[in-house]
Amino acid sequence: MELPLLESDLMVLVAQARTQLVPDRAPGEGEQYRFHFDMAKCIGCKCCVVACSEQNGNPAAIQWRRVGEVEGGYFPNTRRHYLSMGCNHCVDPSCLRGCPVEAYTKLPSTGVVVHSADACIGCQYCVWNCSYGVPQYNEERGVVGKCDLCHNRLSDGMAPACANACPEEAIGIEIVNVAEWRASFASLETPGMPSEDDSISTTRITLPAQMPPDLGRVDTMRVELEHPHWPLVVMLVLTQMSIGAFIVLWLADMSGEVAWFTLAVAVLSLGASVLHLGRPVHAYRALRNLRRSWLSREVLGLGMFAGVASGYALALGFDWSHRQWVGALTAVCGIAGAYCSARLYIVPARPMWNSKFTFFEFASTACLLGPLSLAAMTGEPKDFLLRLTMAGAGLQLLTASLRLVWLMRAETPELKASGTLLTGRLLRHFVWRLLLLIAGGIVLPAVSLEAAFVMCVVGEVLGRWLFFVSVVPRNMAAGFSSVPGGEA
Amino acid sequence: MNWKRWIGLDNLPEQYAFDRSASTGYTSAAKIPDHWVATTCGYCSVGCGIEVGVKDGKAVASRPDAAHPVNRARLCPKGLAEHYILEAENRLKYPLLRKKGKLERVSWEEALRTMVERVGAVQERYGKQAFGVLSTGQLVTEEFYTLGKLVQLGFGTNNYDGNTTLCMSSAVAGYRTSFGSDGPPASYQDLTDADVVVLIGANIADNHPILCQYLHQRPGQTVVAVDPRVTKTAMISDLHLALKPRSDVALLNGVARILIAEGWYDPAYVRKHTEGFDALAAHLAQFTPEMVAQTTGLSVDQLYRLALLIGKGERVLLAWTMGVNHSTEGTRTVNAICNLSLLTGKIGKAGCGPFSITGQCNAMGTRESGFTASMPGYRKFDSEKDRADLAGLWNVDASRLPAQRGLAYPDIIEAAVGGKIKALWIIATNPLVSFPNQGVLRQALGELDFLIVQDGFHPTPTTELADLVLPAAIWGEKEGTYTNSERRVSKVNAAVPPPGEARSDFDIFVALAEQLGCREELYPGWTSTRDAFEEWRRVSAGRLCDYSGIDYEMLGRERAVHWPYPEGADAGGQHLYGNGVFSFPDGKARLVCAAHVPFPEQPNREYPLVLNTGRTVEHWHTRTKTREVPILERLSPQAWLEMNPRDARGLGLRSHDRVSVISRRGVVKGVELRLTEIVAPGQVFMPFHFAETNVNEVTQSAFDPYSREPNYKQCAVRVERTGVNS
């Protein structure tokens, strides 16, 4: 297209674009751009949403700017307000911190958090990390995308599309002193926004002068299931089984034939897990951000486990005399990999995952399926294998039950909502998960190892599916209406 | 999905590329057009200037026309995505004729010939009047003018009305009975200039959002919302009067009584410019503050506050929309509003007046130039002088002009049930969603010999029933003018050609005249809408709605100008009646006595709730267009029913439950329930856009006696659960 802009054209555009909505200077040292949203002015017309989608050429299902509703009061003294939000361009963005491929950059001169669709591999870890639901996965492209504050318009002196389209001038851009904001942000609570977390949102929201005390979200009665991420369900259960099995192999110094099978399961499930990515061919890039990303570390840990475990399988096959050292290293790599696996779910934006139960759940799977798989493969119901299996089953049972109690007694709305899902819409799944665990892990092993093994695997897969679909993420308030077909 | 995308080598960089252009700045490259076409938005009658971006012959972008005086470089969400309707999948591309029960593609020649033959056969057998026509507020003024001549002179029937009767006819009838003529006296600037703006049954924040920017622009302005529901508009107002449904006449009369009793009116103005004061004063005696408080559910204090604002405010604008019109007492309610402006003399000057905010983009155009409730140029059917005048302009014998109006919309439907209307032509409207009490409508259409539907889209619930479907060009594909709520005439231009064999409504009308053999008589030498506009200028000259000083070139330059704009004037008129001379022969306005009449179907034990209906900002009318815009569908995917939590408790209902809404006439199933304090206990609210859950299955066949407008706003229903939210 025509480049560069003619000065006269630019003047016309700038005049049209209501320059008072943007600062007349660039941020200086220690400053950054941010959104200002005036809740008192917003009439909920959603022009900003449409303008954003048009600006960025996004399909309808993806809205980098969204409008939520909060409501309170008593007829006729009812208030409904709207919350329009793009990206909060956080001081310490959790999307950026977790991204394994360093697709995110916080631009040093403006503080705008930008995302590179070329660098992105579509792992969606940023989606899990953001407390505001800002990064959204674009199925069509296989990558995530998000609001970039229209910084390329800003640098031309034009307002972002959302601000420009707002008929009430409720959205504007301003400059914030980061240090001052860091010191003062925590005191700000906005109805419909999750409480500030360690990422420190920079958006300033002007609240209406008079708000009913119960002004709150209208979407709380509607909880959608989250995406199940099947490749991850399979990968987590099978790698944990394999790690458990190798640790038992090492501890019991068992013979080598079953090791190959166990190893094959681990390698295949790791391979299958790239199907979770929007861009599987670029999976190798996930190793890039070992400094900060637990996802990068998981890939490294599980990769090393697979490598060392192959060595251990060989050592077992050749009956190498120093094999226990290789076994020990396998166990260490396995435990490290499994720890990273669990650790990456410890994110404030997903409260149900963000607890010790996640570690216990993953460890229990290893303790249950590791020994049981060995017993089933060898066909020998060795006592210690069965005892370990039962211990794993017991631990998993305890984890699942205690977590449910914790969820149901929680004050946090997202935790409570997860509890409601597990005792409501997902109750049958949850009960089956427990029954399979009891039957396969405690009752059946003495009767039929094969049946017990199959039941336990199915049970753990179901458990991990529940882990993914029943988490209720923190997010900004949404509108009331449910979307037919749902997001999940 | 291609394999490169599947493995992740391809992340669609071209589809998602960005670029800069002089006309757009930095934006999605796919949305950077080759050129922009300035036109006027085709949704509501705010009448925003809009530019459509065209790239490779396709409409790819919409943006506000910064040079347009109405919308000040802003658009609502529908306007911002308006180009999508031009590429919609269900656009109607070819004429379809029902053969052996199925709609099949036919040629235009066969379609038009069949239509003229079938309509001719019906008229021969049952009389000329057995052919009815239902038009719309969606065409350009030139097309309304052309259609009026075709129907009344070509087909020779006066059973012709528009869907504007479902919308603004009470405003028309009210203006005519108060001022002697249709024509809104105020303009948008008055929303800013007024010290007091009273919005009566007008949820502009949802329905005319671009008007909100005119409010609260001056310090000290007081905005009052009168609405039984706590609408978005009520929430941005300074004072909300949550009156009981259909107690508006009592409130307005109560205010009038206080104005007179306290001396807060303008006796000089009343004496000089009005008739009927004594009768009105006597009529108002019953509307004591106590009676009004009891009827409206408001306090005496609130009533006096409103009276004080209206009486003592320097400049007072009384604006209304469907809350007033959608009523069996709509006309009289409009009269009661006009009374207040007349009593206080606050009319015809800045910030003052009664002001109807219209619905459709060109409802005004059909009111002025069409041939339905009046003859073109607000000429009256029953005036011999008007008939002679028009016949002279048209060079036809005055006896060919009907001496009275034909049947109004609901009466055409009723006549079809009774077998008096045997062929019906429906143009650019979708009654199978919008008409109240759908059961009666389906019966009416079922009894027709021949149903013709002319539309831009297929299938719609209405085209599906047609015997003949004519494919029409829509907004963005044709040229002409729209006139908005404030009498501003604005140019409409084609950005892209119509799809397939679709033709502009103008072309279809002219072709039908050709088929009827009256083309040269009705449209001498006409080839385009410009010819129709030039004749309309002459026909409107000297009338209240005087277009004679307006031409296409002026509209190209100025984008939009107010009528009256007589030839030789410097500018259009921002107000009507500034000189105090009204359109009655004696020049005086009428003070009309409006009775308080409760709405016809009161709730009872079996149907305990009052159902109110309305709209949401994302959708337009029957959703024929907006359902084709993915982002709007996403933002508002389905209907809902608002109910107060206190009512829900008794019924054991929870938010997101699926419910049935049941009236004496029908049932709407599977509506998502929304519990909210937005609605009063005892009332429920549902939007009317959704064919899938059509609220008009339960609304009532009750019509205003003067305007024939339906009573959409109140009927008695009960609500039952059909599905549980889990």
Side-chain angles (χ1 to χ4, degrees):
Chain A
M1 280 290 144
E2 312 116 79
L3 263 175
L5 294 177
L6 296 171
E7 201 178 347
S8 58
D9 288 330
L10 200 59
M11 291 309 289
V12 172
L13 285 173
V14 169
Q16 284 173 6
R18 303 214 175 181
T19 41
Q20 69 267 31
L21 300 173
V22 300
D24 52 9
R25 65 176 179 90
E29 188 67 31
E31 293 179 329
Q32 73 161 80
Y33 283 129
R34 70 164 169 198
F35 279 115
H36 169 237
F37 171 66
D38 191 334
M39 197 183 262
K41 283 185 178 171
C42 177
I43 58 170
C45 68
K46 303 175 190 169
C47 285
C48 50
V49 179
V50 177
C52 174
S53 281
E54 288 297 294
Q55 164 72 21
N56 295 296
N58 279 328
I62 290 174
Q63 290 158 21
W64 289 354
R65 179 161 282 270
R66 294 161 294 156
V67 173
E69 294 175 17
V70 290
E71 205 174 297
Y74 218 60
F75 184 89
N77 299 310
T78 316
R79 308 302 299 180
R80 180 187 292 166
H81 289 290
Y82 300 88
L83 177 65
S84 166
M85 207 188 78
C87 171
N88 295 311
H89 301 281
C90 296
V91 171
D92 186 8
S94 49
C95 55
L96 181 150
R97 242 181 296 151
C99 179
V101 298
E102 298 184 318
Y104 284 92
T105 315
K106 188 166 175 68
L107 298 176
S109 55
T110 59
V112 174
V113 178
V114 295
H115 171 266
S116 160
D118 287 333
C120 180
I121 58 171
C123 76
Q124 302 157 63
Y125 191 34
C126 50
V127 178
W128 297 350
N129 264 307
C130 176
S131 286
Y132 308 100
V134 167
Q136 286 166 48
Y137 179 63
N138 183 338
E139 193 94 39
E140 182 184 46
R141 298 189 76 182
V143 295
V144 158
K146 67 176 272 298
C147 154
D148 65 358
L149 209 128
C150 287
H151 69 107
N152 285 305
R153 286 170 68 83
L154 264 184
S155 57
D156 290 341
M158 296 172 71
C162 52
N164 197 42
C166 177
E168 299 297 304
E169 299 183 9
I171 304 170
I173 304 298
E174 56 188 29
I175 289 170
V176 59
N177 181 303
V178 175
E180 283 171 19
W181 184 245
R182 219 182 246 284
S184 64
F185 78 95
S187 61
L188 306 170
E189 283 287 333
T190 304
M193 283 281 271
S195 45
E196 308 282 349
D197 68 8
D198 54 353
S199 64
I200 311 181
S201 153
T202 64
T203 303
R204 183 171 71 91
I205 297 174
T206 299
L207 297 175
Q210 286 169 327
M211 297 192 295
D214 62 337
L215 192 70
R217 308 169 69 120
V218 300
D219 61 339
T220 49
M221 296 281 287
R222 160 170 77 83
V223 184
E224 312 283 354
L225 296 188
E226 282 292 296
H227 197 287
H229 296 294
W230 278 109
L232 296 184
V233 169
V234 172
M235 183 275 275
L236 287 172
V237 169
L238 295 186
T239 55
Q240 283 151 18
M241 174 175 94
S242 177
I243 289 164
F246 268 100
I247 292 171
V248 174
L249 278 176
W250 166 62
L251 287 175
D253 196 22
M254 286 170 69
S255 75
E257 280 155 37
V258 287
W260 286 109
F261 178 76
T262 304
L263 179 67
V265 167
V267 171
L268 281 177
S269 69
L270 279 175
S273 72
V274 304
L275 295 178
H276 157 70
L277 301 177
R279 303 174 75 194
V281 74
H282 295 304
Y284 66 93
R285 291 187 190 162
L287 282 166
R288 210 162 145 174
N289 191 10
L290 288 169
R291 257 181 327 127
R292 280 192 311 247
S293 172
W294 284 103
L295 184 61
S296 294
R297 292 170 194 166
E298 182 202 34
V299 174
L300 180 69
L302 293 178
M304 280 179 62
F305 162 73
V308 181
S310 319
Y312 184 49
L314 275 177
L316 284 174
F318 288 106
D319 238 355
W320 193 39
S321 53
H322 296 296
R323 62 180 182 265
Q324 68 270 37
W325 294 108
V326 189
L329 191 60
T330 308
V332 168
C333 288
I335 290 168
Y339 175 79
C340 295
S341 266
R343 182 63 186 76
L344 77 83
Y345 295 92
I346 307 299
V347 290
R350 306 227 147 186
M352 188 187 83
W353 291 352
N354 192 24
S355 83
K356 292 199 174 62
F357 289 112
T358 300
F359 291 109
F360 282 111
E361 177 170 352
F362 288 14
S364 304
T365 301
C367 185
L368 169 75
L369 293 182
L372 185 58
S373 66
L374 293 179
M377 278 184 286
T378 55
E380 296 170 43
K382 286 186 182 137
D383 244 14
F384 78 97
L385 290 181
L386 296 191
R387 273 202 297 273
L388 268 174
T389 300
M390 281 176 71
L395 192 59
Q396 193 67 297
L397 213 54
L398 204 62
T399 304
S401 322
L402 286 179
R403 178 160 57 196
L404 186 65
V405 173
W406 170 62
L407 292 173
M408 290 181 64
R409 295 172 67 175
E411 296 283 323
T412 317
E414 292 83 5
L415 291 176
K416 229 191 309 202
S418 290
T420 309
L421 277 180
L422 289 172
T423 53
R425 202 182 332 174
L426 296 172
L427 180 64
R428 266 192 313 169
H429 300 84
F430 185 67
V431 169
W432 269 109
R433 188 260 182 286
L434 295 184
L435 289 177
L436 285 165
L437 186 60
I438 293 167
I442 297 170
V443 182
L444 275 183
V447 185
S448 159
L449 279 174
E450 289 79 8
F453 177 61
V454 170
M455 278 198 181
C456 280
V457 170
V458 174
E460 289 312 284
V461 166
L462 185 56
R464 208 49 48 84
W465 178 81
L466 283 168
F467 176 82
F468 280 104
V469 300
S470 68
V471 68
V472 176
R474 282 152 57 103
N475 205 333
M476 66 172 278
F480 175 83
S481 242
S482 38
V483 178
E487 304 272 350
Chain B
M1 197 188 285
N2 70 48
W3 68 272
K4 277 188 170 176
R5 158 64 201 97
W6 198 81
I7 65 164
L9 277 177
D10 180 9
N11 65 352
L12 314 178
E14 279 164 30
Q15 190 183 325
Y16 284 88
F18 286 81
D19 208 342
R20 273 185 179 79
S21 85
S23 80
T24 61
Y26 185 88
T27 192
S28 166
K31 310 278 175 175
I32 296 179
D34 305 327
H35 65 277
W36 293 95
V37 177
T39 182
T40 310
C41 178
Y43 287 116
C44 83
S45 80
V46 170
C48 296
I50 185 170
E51 289 185 306
V52 181
V54 181
K55 184 192 184 89
D56 303 328
K58 289 192 166 188
V60 297
S62 309
R63 69 174 183 188
D65 176 359
H68 202 280
V70 164
N71 47 315
R72 303 171 175 176
R74 291 292 188 265
L75 288 174
C76 82
K78 295 183 287 290
L80 287 170
E82 199 155 1
H83 55 282
Y84 286 98
I85 65 171
L86 294 166
E87 302 296 328
E89 266 176 36
N90 71 345
R91 285 299 307 281
L92 178 56
K93 298 188 181 76
Y94 309 100
L96 305 172
L97 181 63
R98 195 169 294 280
K99 291 180 175 173
K100 292 182 193 139
K102 269 180 67 183
L103 285 172
E104 287 177 20
R105 179 177 166 182
V106 294
S107 69
W108 266 109
E109 195 279 325
E110 183 179 349
L112 296 176
R113 181 167 40 81
T114 307
M115 174 168 166
V116 168
E117 278 171 12
R118 295 294 301 270
V119 169
V122 162
Q123 288 188 311
E124 196 154 305
R125 184 156 169 213
Y126 301 99
K128 290 276 188 194
Q129 305 299 316
F131 179 44
V133 181
L134 289 177
S135 101
T136 176
Q138 303 282 312
L139 308 184
V140 293
T141 297
E142 295 77 352
E143 290 171 336
F144 285 127
Y145 181 72
T146 307
L147 176 63
K149 287 181 104 175
L150 178 67
V151 173
Q152 303 271 7
L153 300 177
F155 283 107
T157 176
N158 63 354
N159 288 329
Y160 166 39
D161 199 10
N163 66 2
T164 44
T165 289
L166 308 185
C167 180
M168 291 309 292
S169 58
S170 292
V172 175
Y175 284 141
R176 288 169 70 171
T177 40
S178 286
F179 304 140
S181 172
D182 186 13
S187 61
Y188 298 154
Q189 183 57 38
D190 298 320
L191 289 164
T192 300
D193 293 343
D195 300 304
V196 178
V197 177
V198 186
L199 298 164
I200 307 162
N203 180 13
I204 61 171
D206 257 317
N207 305 331
H208 306 94
I210 293 305
L211 290 186
C212 290
Q213 62 181 329
Y214 283 87
L215 295 174
H216 290 129
Q217 293 303 299
R218 291 188 314 119
Q221 184 185 60
T222 305
V223 178
V224 184
V226 179
D227 204 303
R229 179 167 164 254
V230 193
T231 59
K232 285 182 184 178
T233 310
M235 292 185 208
I236 59 166
S237 300
D238 305 296
L239 175 64
H240 172 213
L241 301 178
L243 77 178
K244 290 184 190 167
R246 177 65 75 73
S247 60
D248 37 13
V249 170
L251 177 67
L252 295 160
N253 281 347
V255 168
R257 187 180 188 277
I258 294 172
L259 294 180
I260 295 171
E262 301 291 334
W264 296 340
Y265 74 115
D266 185 342
Y269 189 92
V270 168
R271 251 192 325 273
K272 206 165 160 208
H273 299 296
T274 72
E275 276 287 326
F277 179 79
D278 293 340
L280 178 68
H283 172 70
L284 293 177
Q286 60 187 295
F287 292 91
T288 61
E290 293 68 31
M291 176 270 189
V292 172
Q294 204 189 344
T295 309
T296 59
L298 302 171
S299 66
V300 171
D301 176 60
Q302 283 173 309
L303 175 63
Y304 268 89
R305 235 178 122 187
L306 180 63
L308 189 71
L309 284 167
I310 292 174
K312 291 291 195 176
E314 183 93 356
R315 289 177 285 191
V316 180
L317 187 73
L318 306 172
W320 77 92
T321 64
M322 299 312 148
V324 167
N325 291 338
H326 279 169
S327 158
T328 46
E329 296 299 315
T331 304
R332 286 293 173 253
T333 314
V334 171
N335 293 142
I337 293 170
C338 294
N339 286 350
L340 296 182
S341 295
L342 291 168
L343 284 172
T344 53
K346 288 165 193 168
I347 180 170
K349 53 190 182 187
C352 291
F355 187 37
S356 54
I357 302 173
T358 306
Q360 300 178 77
C361 55
N362 201 26
M364 291 283 288
T366 185
R367 278 154 67 174
E368 294 144 13
S369 74
F371 207 146
T372 55
S374 59
M375 293 189 290
Y378 294 154
R379 289 178 175 85
K380 295 184 175 68
F381 286 107
D382 57 6
S383 158
E384 206 175 319
K385 184 181 160 293
D386 283 358
R387 289 203 305 277
D389 177 32
L390 189 62
L393 283 161
W394 281 350
N395 240 340
V396 297
D397 194 286
S399 66
R400 288 179 64 190
L401 301 179
Q404 61 176 6
R405 180 189 179 176
L407 296 174
Y409 190 153
D411 304 309
I412 290 175
I413 300 303
E414 202 168 295
V417 175
K420 288 193 183 115
I421 295 282
K422 296 302 286 181
L424 186 63
W425 183 15
I426 296 176
I427 303 163
T429 188
N430 190 11
L432 262 293
V433 180
S434 57
F435 195 71
N437 194 2
Q438 292 275 303
V440 172
L441 176 69
R442 278 190 293 266
Q443 190 193 346
L445 299 185
E447 290 185 14
L448 292 173
D449 280 1
F450 200 60
L451 174 64
I452 307 127
V453 179
Q454 181 166 322
D455 209 298
F457 297 83
H458 175 75
T460 73
T462 304
T463 61
E464 278 180 320
L465 294 182
D467 298 299
L468 175 67
V469 186
L470 301 178
I474 60 169
W475 169 91
E477 297 165 350
K478 56 188 185 180
E479 187 183 19
T481 55
Y482 291 155
T483 303
N484 73 0
S485 292
E486 56 163 353
R487 293 169 283 101
R488 235 191 244 263
V489 185
S490 188
K491 189 73 197 305
V492 173
N493 291 308
V496 293
E501 293 177 7
R503 302 164 73 170
S504 75
D505 298 274
F506 176 82
D507 285 348
I508 297 171
F509 301 149
V510 172
L512 279 167
E514 178 102 55
Q515 192 80 32
L516 284 168
C518 57
R519 175 174 177 169
E520 268 316 297
E521 185 197 21
L522 300 186
Y523 317 128
W526 290 14
T527 54
S528 70
T529 47
R530 181 189 281 264
D531 299 316
F533 189 79
E534 288 303 317
E535 184 177 304
W536 163 236
R537 285 176 63 190
R538 290 196 300 278
V539 167
S540 70
R543 307 295 305 173
L544 185 66
C545 52
D546 192 332
Y547 280 60
S548 60
I550 305 172
D551 61 43
Y552 277 10
E553 283 65 36
M554 171 193 285
L555 293 177
R557 282 192 312 276
E558 308 206 4
R559 296 298 200 265
V561 296
H562 293 282
W563 65 252
Y565 203 126
E567 184 100 62
D570 298 333
Q574 206 172 315
H575 301 100
L576 301 182
Y577 313 126
N579 54 4
V581 178
F582 292 88
S583 297
F584 284 108
D586 61 5
K588 286 188 173 183
R590 301 292 187 266
L591 293 167
V592 181
C593 299
H596 163 68
V597 182
F599 57 89
E601 193 178 61
Q602 294 289 323
N604 62 12
R605 186 183 286 243
E606 205 181 341
Y607 301 99
L609 297 163
V610 180
L611 171 68
N612 181 4
T613 67
R615 314 165 198 229
T616 184
V617 67
E618 297 90 348
H619 285 297
W620 174 247
H621 282 188
T622 66
R623 225 164 105 258
T624 304
K625 289 193 281 188
T626 47
R627 73 187 300 172
E628 299 303 318
V629 182
I631 185 79
L632 299 177
E633 272 291 276
R634 188 83 188 180
L635 289 172
S636 180
Q638 61 204 346
W640 68 92
L641 181 81
E642 288 175 8
M643 178 186 274
N644 189 284
R646 283 167 267 175
D647 288 328
R649 221 168 289 142
L651 296 166
L653 295 170
R654 303 197 317 159
S655 266
H656 304 290
D657 281 349
R658 297 286 160 163
V659 295
S660 289
V661 184
I662 304 159
S663 78
R664 289 174 179 82
R665 293 155 296 278
V667 53
V668 200
K669 290 186 184 143
V671 188
E672 187 173 24
L673 184 69
R674 175 170 194 171
L675 300 187
T676 172
E677 293 285 344
I678 296 276
V679 287
Q683 298 174 34
V684 290
F685 170 88
M686 191 175 157
F688 60 54
H689 305 290
F690 297 85
E692 300 83 350
T693 42
N694 185 0
V695 74
N696 285 317
E697 293 291 345
V698 299
T699 50
Q700 200 186 357
S701 300
F703 305 95
D704 180 290
Y706 309 101
S707 68
R708 307 306 288 146
E709 181 147 347
N711 195 85
Y712 285 112
K713 292 292 182 190
Q714 307 94 11
C715 72
V717 297
R718 71 167 180 272
V719 173
E720 290 175 1
R721 176 161 50 209
T722 50
V724 185
N725 167 41
S726 59

